[in-house]
């Protein structure tokens, strides 16, 4: 399947991970209230933290190894069997530790029912094996399956979550997505690979498994750990503000993350073929896509954070406005990181450099969490995340420059920065409209009109014109 189609399907898949919760969130936030939303998000963050230990580096290592061996069935079987075995061992160990934590940590015992539900997420994530399907580039299958399951999820949420005390039902349905999806993925995988323990040879994969696992754990010190630490120090309400502030950022960065996820197996293949020219072309394309989308979104979100939070969650979530304004530039920062780390350093197997990056980010995250969160709550957590990511981006740029394989295109960045100035004018034009819904609708409409005129008519941005023509032609053929 072509890169364009993979990007299309993976964009839908990744965005759905945030879009479907976003569809239900305005309803859920009003029904459950900020404290119960905070409690659910706190417990889910704890479970996700345990998930990091059970998965270690399976996702990135699995994608890379599967992509390399996908054309050799025996090697593919060996890689899959070995990596799944590693994942199984760590999942069993982590589940045992989880139950001990529930018993001995008072804050977790307080929410033991939610923790037990979360344990199913931990267990069945083992059989989700999305890393395998990404590696063999079966994005169409996992996209269609996931969308179907999540549509059912949305219907069930609106049907069964009716009052504030239904927060446990809401979390149960959220975990149920993973459980059902894992069944579909596991049985479908048998068409492409055989799991046999005689194939298990874990030694070739241990280094990257632990390196990327440690990378994920260190990364969590300024991402998911923020929510866990905030819950212990400042309580469920501040968690509710913080997680609400991250909702818009989550879905927007997902759009770009879907692109980088597709690019990882492609870049790994190009490295193995020593095709640096094509690598550079795709990296330039990645930067262009980042400038095109993130700069306008950051401008609009900074201006209209209060209206977005009001529409997203309703009254009572005003405490999420400042954290959202602090966090939204992460679209730019993390977008750059994903290009430098996932598309360049990881395919080049610069595992040591990636680990150093995440170590620096973790150190900054831990120190700043201790200093800021106790006094500033969700605002402090937001500042911690941004400063940690900035430290990582700085080091990633340094390591990529040492490879001398890529030169940053400052002229391209300047060009799209200037092209984003009219979005400021549009924001000011609709600022005095009193109705928030009407204000956002006019803002979005004018922004889309300008976006189309500039990129499709004036600049004729190649990637957008190409995608538009491909979509139009497919509609005509059908």
């Amino acid at each position: 399947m072509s890169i364009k189609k993979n990007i299309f399907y993976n964009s839908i898949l990744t965005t759905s991970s945030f879009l479907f919760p976003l569809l239900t969130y305005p309803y859920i936030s009003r029904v459950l209230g900020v404290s119960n939303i905070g409690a659910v998000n706190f417990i889910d963050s704890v479970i996700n933290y345990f998930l990091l230990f059970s998965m270690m580096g399976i996702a990135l290592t699995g994608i890379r190894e599967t992509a390399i061996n996908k054309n050799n069935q025996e090697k593919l079987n060996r890689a899959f069997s070995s990596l799944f075995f590693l994942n199984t061992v760590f999942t069993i160990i982590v589940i045992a530790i989880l139950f001990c934590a529930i018993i001995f940590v008072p804050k977790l015992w307080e929410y033991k029912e939610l923790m037990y539900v979360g344990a199913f997420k931990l267990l069945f994530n083992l059989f989700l094996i999305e890393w395998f399907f990404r590696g063999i580039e079966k994005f169409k299958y996992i996209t269609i399956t996931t969308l179907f399951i999540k549509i059912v999820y949305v219907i069930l949420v609106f049907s069964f979550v009716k009052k504030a005390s239904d927060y446990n039902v809401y979390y149960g349905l959220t975990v149920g997505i993973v459980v059902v999806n894992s069944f579909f993925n596991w049985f479908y995988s048998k068409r492409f690979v055989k799991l046999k323990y005689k194939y298990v040879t874990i030694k070739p994969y241990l280094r990257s498994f632990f390196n990327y696992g440690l990378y994920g754990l260190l990364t969590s010190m300024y991402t998911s750990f923020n929510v866990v630490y905030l819950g212990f120090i400042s309580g469920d309400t501040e968690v509710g503000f913080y997680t609400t502030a991250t909702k818009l950022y989550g879905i927007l960065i997902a759009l770009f993350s879907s692109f980088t996820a597709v690019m990882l197996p492609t870049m790994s293949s190009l490295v193995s073929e020593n095709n640096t020219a094509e690598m550079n072309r795709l990296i330039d394309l990645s930067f262009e896509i980042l400038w095109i989308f993130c700069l306008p979104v950051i401008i609009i979100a900074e201006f209209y954070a209060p209206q977005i939070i009001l529409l997203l969650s309703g009254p009572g979530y005003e405490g999420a406005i400042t954290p959202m304004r602090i966090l939204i530039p992460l679209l730019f920062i993390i977008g750059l990181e994903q290009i430098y780390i996932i598309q360049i350093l990881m395919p080049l197997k610069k595992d040591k450099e990636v680990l150093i990056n995440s170590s620096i980010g973790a150190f900054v995250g831990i120190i700043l969490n201790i200093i800021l969160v106790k006094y500033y709550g969700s605002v402090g957590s937001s500042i911690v995340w941004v400063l940690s990511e900035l430290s990582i981006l700085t080091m990633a740029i340094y390591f990529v420059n040492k490879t001398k394989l890529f030169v940053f295109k400052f002229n391209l960045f300047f060009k799209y920065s200037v092209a984003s100035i009219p979005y400021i004018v549009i924001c000011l034009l609709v600022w005095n409209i009193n109705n928030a819904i009407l204000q956002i609708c006019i803002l979005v409409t004018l922004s889309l009109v300008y976006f189309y005129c500039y990129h499709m008519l004036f600049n004729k941005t190649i990637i957008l014109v190409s995608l538009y023509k491909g979509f139009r032609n497919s509609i005509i053929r059908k």
Side-chain angles (χ1 to χ4, degrees):
M1 186 177 289
S2 68
I3 291 178
K4 288 182 183 179
K5 288 185 178 180
N6 285 340
I7 293 171
F8 171 74
Y9 284 117
N10 202 46
S11 297
I12 297 173
L13 175 65
T14 309
T15 306
S16 70
S17 300
F18 297 92
L19 181 59
F20 280 93
L22 192 63
L23 290 174
T24 58
Y25 197 79
Y27 171 76
I28 289 297
S29 61
R30 288 163 173 80
V31 172
L32 299 186
V34 64
S35 294
N36 285 338
I37 280 286
V40 170
N41 287 328
F42 168 67
I43 294 302
D44 196 46
S45 294
V46 172
I47 295 297
N48 287 338
Y49 208 70
F50 278 92
L51 200 60
L52 285 171
F53 284 92
S54 68
M55 293 292 288
M56 289 300 286
I58 190 70
L60 294 172
T61 305
I63 292 172
R64 187 174 69 186
E65 296 300 326
T66 303
I68 292 171
N69 298 307
K70 64 183 178 182
N71 295 321
N72 186 313
Q73 188 63 52
E74 184 177 352
K75 288 183 178 180
L76 182 64
N77 291 340
R78 290 185 182 279
F80 177 81
S81 300
S82 301
L83 291 170
F84 184 79
F85 176 78
L86 274 173
N87 198 184
T88 301
V89 171
F90 273 80
T91 299
I92 293 170
I93 294 171
V94 168
I95 288 175
I97 296 172
L98 173 68
F99 282 106
C100 291
I102 294 171
I103 295 170
F104 293 109
V105 179
K107 179 77 172 180
L108 300 184
W109 181 255
E110 180 184 349
Y111 295 110
K112 58 182 180 296
E113 291 84 4
L114 290 178
M115 291 294 293
Y116 291 140
V117 172
F120 282 95
K121 180 179 182 179
L122 195 59
L123 174 61
F124 282 93
N125 194 77
L126 172 66
F127 303 98
L128 200 58
I129 54 172
E130 281 196 357
W131 51 269
F132 171 73
F133 290 108
R134 290 180 185 276
I136 62 172
E137 300 185 66
K138 293 294 179 181
F139 292 101
K140 182 177 181 179
Y141 158 74
I142 51 177
T143 299
I144 293 172
T145 304
T146 303
L147 283 178
F148 171 75
I149 293 170
K150 288 184 177 180
I151 289 170
V152 175
Y153 162 78
V154 170
I155 295 171
L156 292 175
V157 165
F158 283 108
S159 300
F160 292 101
V161 181
K162 298 292 186 182
K163 53 187 183 297
S165 59
D166 288 338
Y167 64 91
N168 53 347
V169 177
Y170 169 63
Y171 188 51
L173 292 172
T174 303
V175 171
I177 293 177
V178 177
V179 176
V180 175
N181 214 348
S182 66
F183 276 106
F184 279 100
N185 285 3
W186 183 253
F187 287 108
Y188 187 66
S189 69
K190 294 181 179 180
R191 297 186 180 187
F192 308 101
V193 70
K194 292 181 179 179
L195 175 65
K196 293 185 178 181
Y197 287 106
K198 71 176 184 179
Y199 289 142
V200 173
T201 51
I202 63 174
K203 188 176 179 180
Y205 311 105
L206 280 175
R207 183 175 179 179
S208 62
F209 181 80
F210 283 108
N211 280 347
Y212 287 142
L214 186 56
Y215 166 74
L217 292 171
L218 291 170
T219 300
S220 73
M221 291 299 174
Y222 48 88
T223 53
S224 58
F225 179 75
N226 279 9
V227 182
V228 176
Y229 189 77
L230 184 62
F232 277 108
I233 299 299
S234 300
D236 297 337
T237 300
E238 286 295 318
V239 173
F241 291 149
Y242 181 75
T243 52
T244 298
T246 63
K247 287 295 178 184
L248 180 65
Y249 156 79
I251 186 172
L252 294 172
I253 197 63
L255 289 168
F256 191 72
S257 298
S258 63
F259 177 77
T260 55
V262 168
M263 298 303 287
L264 177 56
T266 302
M267 288 296 191
S268 297
S269 298
L270 291 174
V271 168
S272 66
E273 297 166 3
N274 199 29
N275 191 345
T276 55
E278 181 64 9
M279 278 189 68
N280 274 280
R281 187 188 72 81
L282 293 177
I283 291 167
D284 287 339
L285 176 64
S286 300
F287 276 110
E288 188 172 14
I289 290 173
L290 181 63
W291 307 144
I292 288 170
F293 289 105
C294 86
L295 295 176
V297 168
I298 290 172
I299 291 169
I300 292 169
E302 290 291 350
F303 268 94
Y304 287 91
Q307 293 88 335
I308 292 169
I309 292 295
L310 178 64
L311 293 175
L312 183 66
S313 303
Y317 289 81
E318 289 78 11
I321 294 171
T322 300
M324 178 180 168
R325 280 180 164 149
I326 295 170
L327 290 171
I328 205 68
L330 285 175
L331 287 171
F332 177 81
I333 298 167
I334 294 180
L336 284 173
E337 274 181 40
Q338 290 187 354
I339 295 172
Y340 279 108
I341 297 174
I342 297 178
Q343 294 190 37
I344 302 176
L345 293 177
M346 285 183 177
L348 290 172
K349 297 192 176 182
K350 298 289 184 181
D351 297 352
K352 180 182 177 181
E353 287 79 357
V354 171
L355 194 57
I356 292 172
N357 264 8
S358 54
S359 299
I360 291 170
F363 177 77
V364 173
I366 291 170
I367 298 300
L368 292 181
N369 263 307
I370 295 170
I371 295 172
L372 297 177
V373 172
K374 182 178 180 180
Y375 301 102
Y376 301 105
S378 56
V379 172
S381 291
S382 303
I383 295 170
V384 170
W385 193 359
V386 172
L387 293 179
S388 300
E389 297 288 0
L390 277 173
S391 67
I392 289 174
L393 176 59
T394 302
M395 291 305 299
I397 292 172
Y398 168 74
F399 286 128
V400 169
N401 287 343
K402 284 182 68 176
T403 66
K404 297 181 180 179
L405 292 175
F406 174 78
V407 177
F408 184 83
K409 305 296 191 301
F410 284 99
N411 59 331
L412 196 65
F413 173 60
F414 179 76
K415 171 185 174 181
Y416 286 116
S417 296
V418 172
S420 297
I421 293 174
Y423 293 105
I424 300 175
V425 178
I426 292 171
C427 288
L428 294 173
L429 282 174
V430 300
W431 183 255
N432 292 322
I433 298 174
N434 293 324
N435 186 294
I437 296 176
L438 179 62
Q439 192 177 40
I440 295 295
C441 288
I442 295 174
L443 174 68
V444 171
T445 301
L446 291 176
S447 298
L448 288 175
V449 168
Y450 169 70
F451 183 89
Y452 177 83
C453 291
Y454 177 79
H455 290 290
M456 305 300 289
L457 302 179
F458 174 71
N459 188 55
K460 298 188 185 299
T461 307
I462 294 173
I463 180 63
L464 294 179
V465 172
S466 176
L467 288 172
Y468 170 75
K469 287 182 178 178
F471 177 76
R472 183 189 62 187
N473 291 339
S474 67
I475 294 297
I476 292 172
R477 284 197 301 269
K478 290 180 180 180

